[in-house]
Structure formats: C-alpha cells, structure tokens
Amino acid sequence: MEAAQEAETLVPQFQLETLLNQDQGGRRVTLLGKIKLQPALLLAERAAFHTASQALQSFSSNLTTIQDLGANDIYHWYLASSSPSSASPDCKLTLIYPCTEQHVKKYSQQGVRMVTETPKIYTDHVRPYMQRKREEGRLNWVFNILEGRAEQEDVLYREHGEEGFLVSPDLNWDRKTMTSLHLLGLVERRDIWSLRDLRKSHITWLKHMREKFLDATISLYPDLAKDQLKLYMHYQPTYYHFHVHIVHVALEAGSTQATGKAFGFENLISQLETIKGGQEAGMADVSLTYFLGEANELWTEIFQPLKEGQTASGG
C-alpha cells in the first residue's frame, strides 16, 4: 500500500520539458521531463469511451460547445467537448443523417475475410455492383464538391481542365500536425470509377497526376519535401469516383494503409507498364486480393455465395 501511494505521488511531480511524440489523432503523447531532477518519460493515452448502456444513453446530451466543421449531403462533421469540464474540444464527431442500412453494416463490428477478385468476377459481378451504387446517388456529395456546391471552404487547391483535380483535407487530419498530414485528391474526370478502370493508355496521365498531386501539396506546405509524401488508392474504395490519398510517410499506418486495402500509386503505374497487351490492357485484366467485412454487400452478395457454390449477384 505504501509503495502504491508513493507511486501515485510521482506523476504530479512531473515537470514537462518537451513533447517528444504524438499519434495521428492526438490520443497518445510522449512527454520528456524531470521528477526530482531525474529525467523521466511520461506516456499518456486517452481512456476508452464508457460503453455501459447508461453512459451511452447520456453521451450525446452531455456534449457541449459543439462546433460545426461542415456538411455535405447526409454527412455532417463537428468538434465537441465530452463534458462541461473539458477546456477544449476533445471529440471529433461525424453525423450521418439520414443513414442507410449499408451505413449501419459498414460501421458495425464484424469479421473480416480475404477475397480474390478475378477478372471474370469483376466483370460479371463487381462492375455491375459498382454501377448500381453510382446510380443510387451515392456520389452526390462528391459531385457537390467538384461542381462547387459544397465544402468549397475546404478545397485547398484546384486545377481545371483535362487533368483537372482538387485537393482537400481528410476529415481525420487535424490540419496542424504535419507528420499526420492526410489529404484527398479528387480528379474531375468521371470515367474512372476505381483503379480497375486504369489501362496502359492512362500511364502518361497517371504520371502527370502524380506530379500534380505532389506539387500541389508542396505548394501548400513548403516545409515538406516530395520524398516525405506517400500516395495510394483503396480497393475496394469507399466510393466509386477515382481519388488518391496523399499522406505524410510518418502517418501511423492503420487499417486504411494495410495490405489488402491500399495500393501504392507508383507501384500501380509500374504494374500497368509491365502488363502484357496493347493500350487497352489494364487493371481489369488482373486478379486482385483484398479484405472485406462480413457485413459488406460485396461479401454477402458475391463472394460468400461463390465460396459456397451458390449463384452470386450480378449487380
């Protein structure tokens, strides 16, 4: 008991000298300081949310100083304090309203499966699925940005024309910490839904776009160098309009940068250069392996039925 009491008195004696490190979301910090003139490291991590039913029932009503960060279609973003005693906002909120059943599935805890999408599976099942989602209006919020109807205050850089694109901050970035920089590059052209649409004929365009994304980022943040930036795409992407993630190489590699989700921009160009065939040969002609949640419609409608020898959805 005496040893425990002594240990509890150490933390209040910590005298800060400098911040050594922090994670992407500011949830963990590493501090250097002294206790009784001796060097000390203090590693601090925010506690997890209370998930007891009573705590969750009162969670939203206990939020204070809610600050609007913007909205687009059904998506709304805020900063808020989790309690009246919070000196500054300590929660980043995303409100999806009204949400769909697919949103509920996407954000529910679920098992994960690795799948291999062959060219035939893509052509017969996945491509029709993509088309169905586009026709359901799932890209309205993207087109709102591209056409200047929403989130224009968040557009950091824009070029129009045949190689037109814009750059905006990812909502998971605090817009201050350079080592956690995360931007999104949206192209204006609408004929490329995902990396599956890329062909050998697109190689020159892709090389130009890579340089444009890098140059735009460096112009926005001159303290960065090109070799401190990483460009990648997701497959499957969250939405079927071609976009590129631009991140600092020091950004913590979570599941969004994991094998089976992220495809490096430069590696993609190299793969296109080595694919056999004419200018129309491309990523639609290769097999891709990636992971899916068990509640994902691609799993329930296509890959699970195929695994079980049943008929898969055609879109």
Side-chain angles (χ1 to χ4, degrees):
M1 175 69 77
E2 188 174 325
Q5 290 176 340
E6 181 181 355
E8 291 171 0
T9 65
L10 290 175
V11 173
Q13 297 180 63
F14 181 85
Q15 295 181 315
L16 175 68
E17 291 184 350
T18 186
L19 169 68
L20 290 182
N21 202 355
Q22 70 180 97
D23 77 332
Q24 171 189 354
R27 292 180 293 272
R28 295 188 299 274
V29 294
T30 304
L31 309 176
L32 174 64
K34 282 187 170 64
I35 296 177
K36 299 178 182 178
L37 302 180
Q38 296 294 314
L41 283 173
L42 181 61
L43 286 70
E45 183 172 352
R46 292 186 186 274
F49 285 103
H50 295 292
T51 55
S53 178
Q54 185 175 0
L56 294 178
Q57 286 286 348
S58 60
F59 174 74
S60 59
S61 59
N62 286 339
L63 293 172
T64 61
T65 59
I66 298 176
Q67 302 175 20
D68 182 21
L69 292 179
N72 187 346
D73 199 45
I74 63 173
Y75 299 92
H76 312 262
W77 302 283
Y78 311 91
L79 288 177
S81 300
S82 57
S83 69
S85 61
S86 299
S88 59
D90 58 357
C91 285
K92 183 181 290 184
L93 307 175
T94 298
L95 175 65
I96 304 174
Y97 171 77
C99 69
T100 66
E101 183 181 354
Q102 187 172 6
H103 288 117
V104 175
K105 290 179 179 178
K106 175 181 177 180
Y107 291 103
S108 297
Q109 186 175 8
Q110 57 191 285
V112 179
R113 303 283 185 143
M114 293 296 293
V115 301
T116 296
E117 182 183 296
T118 64
K120 180 173 175 53
I121 292 176
Y122 170 69
T123 301
D124 292 350
H125 306 290
V126 177
R127 179 74 178 187
Y129 171 85
M130 291 179 175
Q131 183 171 355
R132 189 179 87 210
K133 293 304 171 186
R134 287 173 61 93
E135 292 173 350
E136 289 175 357
R138 297 293 174 86
L139 290 177
N140 288 348
W141 68 275
V142 176
F143 297 150
N144 285 342
I145 299 174
L146 290 173
E147 295 170 5
R149 294 195 298 266
E151 294 188 53
Q152 295 309 289
E153 67 279 4
D154 290 328
V155 174
L156 304 176
Y157 188 96
R158 180 192 285 271
E159 285 187 18
H160 293 292
E162 188 175 336
E163 295 182 345
F165 71 101
L166 63 81
V167 173
S168 63
D170 185 89
L171 289 168
N172 291 316
W173 183 41
D174 63 8
R175 308 192 189 193
K176 296 180 294 184
T177 310
M178 282 297 105
T179 53
S180 62
L181 175 123
H182 191 162
L183 305 175
L184 291 178
L186 280 172
V187 301
E188 288 189 344
R189 61 187 298 175
R190 303 188 183 187
D191 58 324
I192 301 178
W193 301 358
S194 74
L195 61 82
R196 278 291 199 184
D197 288 314
L198 297 173
R199 302 184 296 273
K200 294 176 77 70
S201 59
H202 291 120
I203 290 174
T204 299
W205 176 77
L206 286 169
K207 288 182 176 180
H208 287 174
M209 294 310 301
R210 176 183 179 275
E211 289 304 311
K212 285 177 176 287
F213 286 135
L214 293 174
D215 289 342
T217 304
I218 298 304
S219 71
L220 291 167
Y221 309 104
D223 290 339
L224 293 177
K226 287 186 178 181
D227 58 5
Q228 290 179 297
L229 299 173
K230 178 166 54 176
L231 278 61
Y232 63 87
M233 292 138 286
H234 284 151
Y235 195 79
Q236 289 278 332
T238 304
Y239 49 94
Y240 296 118
H241 179 93
F242 189 68
H243 58 283
V244 177
H245 295 261
I246 308 162
V247 303
H248 194 286
V249 292
L251 176 66
E252 290 188 358
S255 60
T256 61
Q257 295 188 55
T259 300
K261 181 68 174 178
F263 289 76
F265 201 122
E266 295 79 5
N267 292 341
L268 181 65
I269 292 174
S270 178
Q271 187 170 359
L272 285 169
E273 289 175 329
T274 56
I275 287 177
K276 295 180 180 180
Q279 289 298 294
E280 295 307 302
M283 296 303 295
D285 304 317
V286 301
S287 292
L288 296 177
T289 298
Y290 53 91
F291 62 78
L292 291 171
E294 291 179 345
N296 190 301
E297 289 179 347
L298 287 167
W299 171 254
T300 58
E301 296 181 10
I302 299 174
F303 289 99
Q304 185 178 20
L306 289 175
K307 178 183 177 182
E308 296 174 351
Q310 300 175 9
T311 301
S313 168

